[in-house]
Amino acid sequence: MPALEKSAVVSLAPQQPPAPASGRSFGDLQRIIRPVLVILPAVGLALGFAARLSGYTPWAATFWGAACIPVLLALLVDIVASLRRGEVGLDIVAALSMTAALVFGENLAAVVVALMYAGGQNLENFAERRANRAMTALLSRLPRTTLRYRDGQLDEIALDLVRPQDRLLVRQGDVVPVDGTVGTALAVLDQSALTGESLPVQKNVGEPVMSGVTNVGDAFDLVATHRAAESTYAGIVRLIEAAQRSKAPMARLADRFGMVFLAWTILLAGGAWLWTGDPIRALAVLVIATPCPLILAVPVAIVSGVSRAAKVGVLVKGGKALETLARVRVLVLDKTGTLTNGQARVVDIRPTAGTSPDRLLQLAASLDQASKHVIAQALVADAKERRLPLQLPTSLAEEPGEGVSGIVDGQKVVVGGIRYVDKMISDGDAVLARGDFPAGSVVVSVAVDGVFAGFLILADSLRTDAAQVIGKLRALGIARIALATGDRRDVAEAVTADLHLDAVCADLSPGQKTEIVAQERRFGPVMMIGDGVNDAPALAAADLGVAMGAKGAAASAEAADVVLLVDQLGKIVPAIEAARWSKRIALQSVYAGIGLSVIGMIVAALGYLTPVQGALIQEVIDVAVILNALRALGTPAEALT
């Protein structure tokens, strides 16, 4: 069938009110301040040299010192905030070197350090902005209102006003706003976003309906059984929030080296001062110790890795996500829309003798052009894909949710469920006897001129490249791969029989999927790939959540760390390769830069370098590590094998 409108499945979380027009958020201020903190030391450095060349030498130091102070103040604010969170990073070395340089009158060294530090910070923030700029209003489509019957009329009311026993109207294409039961007629629902079932289900009068599913049939009445805040959809919101709160943040790559390098720097600088009594020697050590190879090389490699992933249609939300992507060892997969295509397609045609498969599909699809049923639409789409000419049906009669009959090309055609067709023909017992069908499939029966003509079998088939992708992931070192789906176990096992997965977990609720992720973590860092609303809590709980963003629900894309912007599971393979290559390049830059810095620190401690000379040498090291980090934009040879 045509892709069910998963994108119409609305967000779980309430939309945040817009910021006042007269004020700016803290994030807005940061976006303005960061570039300014780069411009100020650059301009101050230029003005200082201009003053020196013009003969106004005293002004040079003033320009350099003044340009350094805003960066130092911003740095101190960041350090205080980090310390309050219990984090100790390499920013302290940069603050010590700038402060000491200003105290001892080495303003040129101070402004050079300030420029390098501010530039590194801006690059790191640029990486985050670049990674997230494609995310546009992902959680902005939560239904705010619903239609309620009151005194013989339909009133549009806020969702919060719905009470148990209220009768609501759910139109075609609407998302069911609260948990309830079917009040009138037959409801045809797409539950894939919540349960993982790719095929629509039918609910009769009195049967329960979950909030968050989409009405893909005719309009029906819903009798509310819960308030909005107590419904299934709201419960998933709480699961996502709890998972995100419990997910331990991963430290920046640069900060992992922080404590050792900070201790070494203070020990060497303090030792040089105590040994010689010369504070300038300690300053020279601090200046050359300023961790620009870490501050610069890592964000440059991250930007490069994020950019490379974006080129293949993968949105990586920042440096932490890229680092985690590089080290995952366990994969948990959803089924519907992830391993499978997420939509029903004709997988088998079983005509009777004398009827060709194409003719059977052509007749059924021609008749089904007049039906809105999602299975009918799937037959029409499949026939068009096969370029079968469709005829205009006449004398139509449809029983909603059961089947349709009419005249096609002068023949009386009946299309629908087995029992529906059984009632319309004389050899119905023979139809019912032909019952060997794949697990999880939908069987459409066809009769022509009162005689059974054959079956059309529809199912949500495995992606054509699924086995190949699984093999490539195992070759990349993903040691364990498990399936976690809300679909039935027999369907899950039948679909994945040839994939040789390590575990198949079925009939799962959103909360149980989160538990599976937690259990799998004992085997290593866990990557979860999913696309539905029911996957969002598990995506948030995993070490790395990957959402199928092309057709998936907004909530899953919001909860994920990585979004596949095209509907191809295989895109995760080059994304992992890019992440590992970028991390490898970043580490090379870090090790080389820190090694050269340590050598320079020792030379400075022995008195062979002034603070300005140390700053210039540090500049050379910075350029070298940045050029090396930019290699992350290239393709690793390992990724091509």
Side-chain angles (χ1 to χ4, degrees):
M1 65 185 144
L4 299 179
E5 295 296 331
K6 288 188 180 178
S7 59
V9 180
V10 298
S11 159
L12 301 176
Q15 186 178 8
Q16 295 299 321
S22 59
R24 293 186 181 271
S25 69
F26 181 69
D28 292 332
L29 292 175
Q30 281 192 318
R31 283 190 288 271
I32 295 172
I33 291 173
R34 295 287 185 189
V36 172
L37 292 179
V38 178
I39 294 170
L40 285 177
V43 171
L45 191 63
L47 289 176
F49 279 120
R52 176 174 287 185
L53 292 173
S54 302
Y56 296 96
T57 303
W59 281 97
T62 302
F63 283 131
W64 292 332
C68 174
I69 289 174
V71 178
L72 178 58
L73 292 176
L75 175 56
L76 292 174
V77 170
D78 287 343
I79 290 173
V80 171
S82 298
L83 291 175
R84 285 180 176 175
R85 296 192 300 268
E87 300 172 1
V88 179
L90 287 167
D91 298 345
I92 294 176
V93 178
L96 285 174
S97 62
M98 277 188 273
T99 303
L102 290 175
V103 169
F104 296 116
E106 295 288 342
N107 291 8
L108 175 57
V111 76
V112 169
V113 173
L115 179 59
M116 288 301 98
Y117 175 80
Q121 289 292 297
N122 203 51
L123 275 173
E124 191 169 14
N125 280 272
F126 172 74
E128 295 285 345
R129 293 197 305 273
R130 177 163 184 158
N132 286 285
R133 66 184 179 184
M135 304 300 291
T136 55
L138 283 175
L139 289 179
S140 62
R141 293 187 292 183
L142 179 68
R144 302 287 174 218
T145 61
T146 188
L147 294 174
R148 181 177 65 182
Y149 290 98
R150 180 61 59 90
D151 299 328
Q153 294 183 335
L154 276 173
D155 295 330
E156 186 172 4
I157 63 169
L159 213 58
D160 291 342
L161 298 180
V162 175
R163 299 291 181 267
Q165 301 307 313
D166 281 349
R167 183 175 288 269
L168 312 175
L169 176 64
V170 182
R171 298 165 296 188
Q172 186 178 46
D174 282 354
V175 173
V176 175
V178 298
D179 290 354
T181 59
V182 178
T184 59
L186 179 77
V188 182
L189 304 169
D190 171 15
Q191 298 188 150
S192 58
L194 292 185
T195 67
E197 295 174 277
S198 58
L199 300 174
V201 298
Q202 298 180 357
K203 297 283 187 177
N204 294 309
V205 175
E207 291 189 311
V209 177
M210 294 180 292
S211 59
V213 303
T214 305
N215 178 22
V216 293
D218 294 331
F220 69 93
D221 288 354
L222 177 79
V223 179
T225 57
H226 294 79
R227 299 172 184 263
E230 301 165 349
S231 293
T232 303
Y233 223 33
I236 294 179
V237 174
R238 290 189 288 272
L239 281 172
I240 295 173
E241 292 173 344
Q244 288 176 329
R245 283 195 301 268
S246 64
K247 183 176 177 180
M250 180 178 170
R252 292 185 305 172
L253 177 62
D255 288 342
R256 294 182 210 165
F257 300 87
M259 293 301 294
V260 174
F261 190 75
L262 177 60
W264 165 255
T265 299
I266 293 175
L267 181 64
L268 189 59
W273 190 349
L274 291 174
W275 185 262
T276 64
D278 183 5
I280 300 301
R281 191 172 293 192
L283 174 59
V285 173
L286 288 174
V287 168
I288 203 168
T290 300
C292 291
L294 291 174
I295 294 172
L296 291 174
V298 173
V300 167
I302 286 171
V303 172
S304 301
V306 169
S307 298
R308 182 157 187 80
K311 288 179 182 178
V312 296
V314 180
L315 174 69
V316 181
K317 299 182 184 179
K320 290 180 181 179
L322 194 77
E323 291 181 50
T324 309
L325 183 60
R327 66 185 185 93
V328 291
R329 292 294 180 268
V330 180
L331 171 61
V332 177
L333 282 163
D334 173 47
K335 181 184 75 68
T336 305
T338 303
L339 269 181
T340 65
N341 293 299
Q343 55 187 5
R345 300 180 62 87
V346 176
V347 295
D348 190 15
I349 300 177
R350 301 180 185 177
T352 56
T355 305
S356 69
D358 281 353
R359 179 59 176 169
L360 186 68
L361 177 59
Q362 180 188 31
L363 289 171
S366 294
L367 182 62
D368 273 342
Q369 291 178 101
S371 176
K372 291 183 178 181
H373 197 283
V374 288
I375 297 300
Q377 295 171 11
L379 291 179
V380 173
D382 203 277
K384 289 181 177 179
E385 191 174 301
R386 300 180 190 216
R387 298 184 178 180
L388 299 177
L390 301 184
Q391 307 295 322
L392 186 66
T394 59
S395 304
L396 295 165
E398 182 173 8
E399 188 172 330
E402 298 293 335
V404 61
S405 62
I407 304 297
V408 177
D409 197 19
Q411 294 180 291
K412 174 73 172 180
V413 179
V414 181
V415 179
I418 293 177
R419 296 188 181 279
Y420 173 75
V421 175
D422 174 40
K423 295 186 299 183
M424 309 287 283
I425 61 177
S426 58
D427 59 344
D429 292 338
V431 176
L432 293 173
R434 305 167 187 257
D436 183 18
F437 305 115
S441 62
V442 170
V443 180
V444 176
S445 182
V446 183
V448 179
D449 291 335
V451 178
F452 172 67
F455 289 125
L456 300 168
I457 315 299
L458 294 91
D460 182 13
S461 58
L462 200 66
R463 291 180 183 269
T464 55
D465 63 342
Q468 184 180 17
V469 172
I470 295 296
K472 288 183 177 180
L473 289 171
R474 290 198 184 277
L476 284 173
I478 305 298
R480 182 174 171 83
I481 302 178
L483 181 74
T485 179
D487 213 343
R488 303 196 315 269
R489 174 164 291 278
D490 60 336
V491 175
E493 291 178 344
V495 168
T496 61
D498 297 328
L499 296 181
H500 307 294
L501 303 181
D502 297 291
V504 175
C505 306
D507 297 307
L508 300 177
S509 67
Q512 289 171 327
K513 282 192 176 186
T514 304
E515 293 173 5
I516 294 296
V517 168
Q519 292 170 12
E520 292 295 325
R521 190 171 281 120
R522 69 184 185 274
F523 298 105
V526 177
M527 173 171 65
M528 166 74 189
I529 305 180
D531 79 319
V533 173
N534 62 325
D535 300 318
L539 291 171
D543 296 289
L544 185 85
V546 180
M548 303 290 290
K551 293 183 179 179
S556 63
E558 179 68 15
D561 306 292
V562 175
V563 180
L564 305 185
L565 298 176
V566 291
D567 190 31
Q568 297 177 27
L569 179 62
K571 291 296 183 182
I572 194 62
V573 174
I576 293 175
E577 292 171 341
R580 291 184 178 178
W581 177 240
S582 299
K583 183 178 179 181
R584 189 178 302 122
I585 292 296
L587 288 173
Q588 288 174 2
S589 297
V590 166
Y591 293 145
I594 291 300
L596 292 172
S597 294
V598 168
I599 293 172
M601 291 162 63
I602 294 173
V603 174
L606 295 175
Y608 295 109
L609 290 175
T610 66
V612 173
Q613 290 172 335
L616 293 176
I617 290 175
Q618 186 63 54
E619 291 300 305
V620 174
I621 297 174
D622 294 341
V623 171
V625 298
I626 289 173
L627 291 176
N628 185 67
L630 287 172
R631 291 196 302 123
L633 284 170
T635 303
E638 297 84 351
L640 299 177
T641 58

